[in-house]
Amino acid sequence: VDRLKRQIGFIVELDKLKTILRQSWLADGSRRENSAEHSWHIAAMALVLAEHANADMDLDLARVVKLLLIHDVVEIDAGDVLVYDIAGNADKAERERRAAERIYGMLPEDQAAELRALWEEFETGETDEARFAAALDRLMPLLHNFLTEGRAWRQHGITADQVLARNAGIAAGSTVLWDYARELIEEAVERGYLLPAAE
Amino acid sequence: VDRLKRQIGFIVELDKLKTILRQSWLADGSRRENSAEHSWHIAAMALVLAEHANADMDLDLARVVKLLLIHDVVEIDAGDVLVYDIAGNADKAERERRAAERIYGMLPEDQAAELRALWEEFETGETDEARFAAALDRLMPLLHNFLTEGRAWRQHGITADQVLARNAGIAAGSTVLWDYARELIEEAVERGYLLPAAE
């Protein structure tokens, strides 16, 4: 019973992720996206796009989905930081490590260790599953930016070279999706959603 | 390329689930929950509570997670209906069937068939995975109601016997979680969050 109580405590804590706002706007432009619904969206995305993982990968799709479901939980304590914000990202790793300790630590020990290991796997990005999961996590904000005519990009004065540099890692998970992402970025510049590369 | 375009079209369509409001309120009472973040929450819940599935079940957890990720997508067209609203539920099945056809039909044929079959599996509730998934989908609103002092229950004048009848199916997925749910319901009545059974 104590075990179930701890599990429920963790599940209740997860509710807070619904109040963490990301930089992305919903496709209809009505409001900013929160990290809980984002996590759902990329997990569902994984079910549909798994076939585009690089051919040399031996992908465990269930593991990809797990990584995507839990990768943002640390934001409950550490918040969501704009990926192009260098100052805000300086102590991000340490804040997220403490968050993982506290939040996953609410679970029974075996599960705390398991979910923490999954989170570290995502962060380290050294397995095929982590690389493909990270590719989806990067592709999604590109899509949202494109669909909202570059709303978050324009808001923060982001340029195409920043977006290209930030997202080049998509290729490590899927060259097919990276080709698609580059087309999106190119078209975003053409349509004026995204500033061209700075001089 | 046409295949990827269809998949992306479906993924973009999914964004609309973030605008479908449920009857449940967030645990902090700040606003009603949407169906996308709810789907994330119960999928993450499955990772943590899988061990409580009934002992005679041979559970494929990855399948449970898939069911939970896609089970509410039809609400994009069909909306979320209060489970105690008999009139609103009269043509629900037909509205959801049409929704499944349109939304899953955006995908390439093989994937459309796969996701539609998963949705039907959840709705029919005849596999162990569907029974356990449904148990989580029912337990979560109980938790949210309890945490918000019965906010949605009081709003709609729901009584304990309605809640007991509606949720008895939890036992088919997990008698452990059904015992826990009954304790919650009992305590909710004691605390005045939920009306006792009608005469």
Side-chain angles (χ1 to χ4, degrees):
Chain A
V1 176
D2 183 51
R3 188 170 165 88
L4 178 56
K5 288 253 159 75
R6 292 187 73 159
Q7 291 165 331
I8 297 283
F10 172 77
I11 289 161
V12 169
E13 182 71 17
L14 289 186
D15 212 64
K16 294 181 184 164
L17 197 60
K18 300 168 189 170
T19 66
I20 304 294
L21 293 187
R22 294 166 49 80
Q23 301 300 329
S24 311
W25 291 76
L26 294 197
D28 70 3
S30 58
R31 61 168 172 81
R32 275 166 64 195
E33 192 187 26
N34 72 60
S35 290
E37 61 197 4
H38 160 73
S39 297
W40 165 75
H41 205 175
I42 53 177
M45 187 189 206
L47 302 184
V48 170
L49 296 186
E51 67 192 50
H52 302 298
N54 288 335
D56 60 343
M57 285 186 167
D58 181 24
L59 210 62
D60 175 352
L61 176 58
R63 192 172 187 85
V64 172
V65 170
K66 279 191 195 181
L67 292 172
L68 292 171
L69 286 175
I70 62 99
H71 82 290
D72 268 346
V73 165
V74 293
E75 293 182 359
I76 288 172
D77 288 353
D80 179 63
V81 178
L82 180 66
V83 290
Y84 304 101
D85 170 2
I86 292 166
N89 280 293
D91 64 340
K92 187 178 167 229
E94 176 53 21
R95 280 185 289 126
E96 292 195 343
R97 197 196 53 71
R98 280 200 305 269
E101 200 151 324
R102 183 188 76 76
I103 302 166
Y104 296 128
M106 296 178 74
L107 284 166
E109 257 178 64
D110 57 318
Q111 292 188 315
E114 187 196 341
L115 266 71
R116 232 195 109 127
L118 282 170
W119 173 71
E120 274 162 16
E121 179 179 339
F122 182 86
E123 288 297 308
T124 316
E126 283 172 2
T127 63
D128 286 348
E129 286 78 11
R131 276 188 276 263
F132 186 67
L136 301 181
D137 193 37
R138 286 177 170 160
L139 179 57
M140 189 63 93
L142 290 184
L143 270 175
H144 273 110
N145 259 306
F146 190 86
L147 293 165
T148 55
E149 307 189 346
R151 188 148 176 181
W153 285 329
R154 286 186 288 116
Q155 210 166 7
H156 300 283
I158 305 299
T159 60
D161 52 343
Q162 286 179 291
V163 178
L164 284 165
R166 158 71 188 163
N167 291 294
I170 292 176
S174 169
T175 55
V176 172
L177 295 180
W178 177 231
D179 287 345
Y180 175 74
R182 279 192 299 189
E183 279 172 38
L184 267 188
I185 294 166
E186 210 168 294
E187 197 167 331
V189 172
E190 277 168 24
R191 294 195 189 186
Y193 300 167
L194 177 61
L195 295 168
E199 287 298 293
Chain B
V1 175
D2 183 52
R3 189 170 166 89
L4 178 56
K5 288 252 158 78
R6 292 187 74 159
Q7 292 165 331
I8 297 283
F10 173 77
I11 289 161
V12 169
E13 183 71 16
L14 290 186
D15 211 65
K16 294 181 184 163
L17 198 60
K18 300 170 188 170
T19 67
I20 304 295
L21 292 187
R22 293 165 50 79
Q23 300 300 328
S24 310
W25 291 76
L26 294 198
D28 69 3
S30 59
R31 60 170 172 82
R32 277 166 64 196
E33 191 188 25
N34 72 60
S35 290
E37 61 197 2
H38 160 72
S39 296
W40 166 75
H41 205 175
I42 54 176
M45 189 189 206
L47 302 184
V48 169
L49 296 186
E51 68 192 48
H52 302 298
N54 288 336
D56 60 342
M57 285 184 166
D58 181 23
L59 210 64
D60 175 352
L61 177 58
R63 191 169 188 87
V64 172
V65 170
K66 279 190 194 180
L67 293 172
L68 292 171
L69 286 175
I70 62 99
H71 80 291
D72 269 345
V73 166
V74 292
E75 293 182 359
I76 288 172
D77 288 353
D80 179 64
V81 178
L82 180 66
V83 289
Y84 304 102
D85 171 2
I86 293 166
N89 280 291
D91 63 342
K92 188 178 165 228
E94 175 54 22
R95 280 185 289 126
E96 292 195 344
R97 196 196 54 71
R98 280 200 305 268
E101 202 151 323
R102 183 188 74 78
I103 302 166
Y104 296 128
M106 296 178 73
L107 284 165
E109 257 178 65
D110 58 318
Q111 292 189 315
E114 187 196 342
L115 266 71
R116 230 194 112 129
L118 282 170
W119 173 70
E120 275 163 14
E121 179 179 339
F122 182 86
E123 288 296 308
T124 317
E126 283 172 4
T127 63
D128 286 349
E129 286 78 10
R131 277 188 277 263
F132 186 66
L136 300 182
D137 193 36
R138 285 176 170 162
L139 180 57
M140 189 63 95
L142 290 183
L143 270 175
H144 273 110
N145 259 304
F146 191 86
L147 292 166
T148 56
E149 307 189 346
R151 188 150 177 180
W153 286 329
R154 288 187 287 116
Q155 210 167 8
H156 299 285
I158 305 299
T159 61
D161 52 341
Q162 286 179 292
V163 177
L164 284 164
R166 158 71 189 162
N167 292 293
I170 292 177
S174 169
T175 55
V176 173
L177 295 180
W178 176 231
D179 288 345
Y180 175 74
R182 280 191 301 188
E183 279 172 39
L184 267 188
I185 294 166
E186 212 169 291
E187 198 168 331
V189 172
E190 277 168 25
R191 295 196 189 185
Y193 301 168
L194 176 62
L195 294 168
E199 288 295 296

